[in-house]
């Protein structure tokens, strides 16, 4: 039986390629709302963050998600990500 290829995505903070299951996807929906996409299928512009406390805190400090998604990301998104770890 053929093995499935690992789906790789790049973390916006570490620039490291990881499997999709090891990353959080944060999405800016067409209505400019920012959500955490746990299923990986939400419509909109997405950015990936490694499932690591230090990476999430660095993303909050440097506001890299604001730049990647071109919208202001609320602090409660970062708190939600930390709770999901």
């Amino acid at each position: 039986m053929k093995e499935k290829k690992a789906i790789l995505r790049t973390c916006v903070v570490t620039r490291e390629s990881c499997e999709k299951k090891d990353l959080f996807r944060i999405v800016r929906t067409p209505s400019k709302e920012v959500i955490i996409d746990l299923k990986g299928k939400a419509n909109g512009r997405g950015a990936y963050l490694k499932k690591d406390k230090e990476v999430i805190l660095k993303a909050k400090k440097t506001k890299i998600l604001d730049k990647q998604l071109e919208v202001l990301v609320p602090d409660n998104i970062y708190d939600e990500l930390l709770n999901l770890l």
Side-chain angles (χ1 to χ4, degrees), residues 6-40:
I7 301 171
L8 297 177
R9 296 290 181 261
T10 304
C11 173
V12 294
V13 174
T14 63
R15 290 284 175 215
E16 187 179 338
S17 287
C18 301
E19 284 190 40
K20 201 172 174 183
K21 64 181 172 111
D22 298 330
L23 300 165
F24 286 122
R25 182 170 186 246
I26 296 84
V27 177
R28 182 198 70 207
T29 63
S31 62
K32 305 280 190 233
E33 183 184 356
V34 178
I35 60 169
I36 299 169
D37 181 17
L38 296 175
K39 296 194 190 257

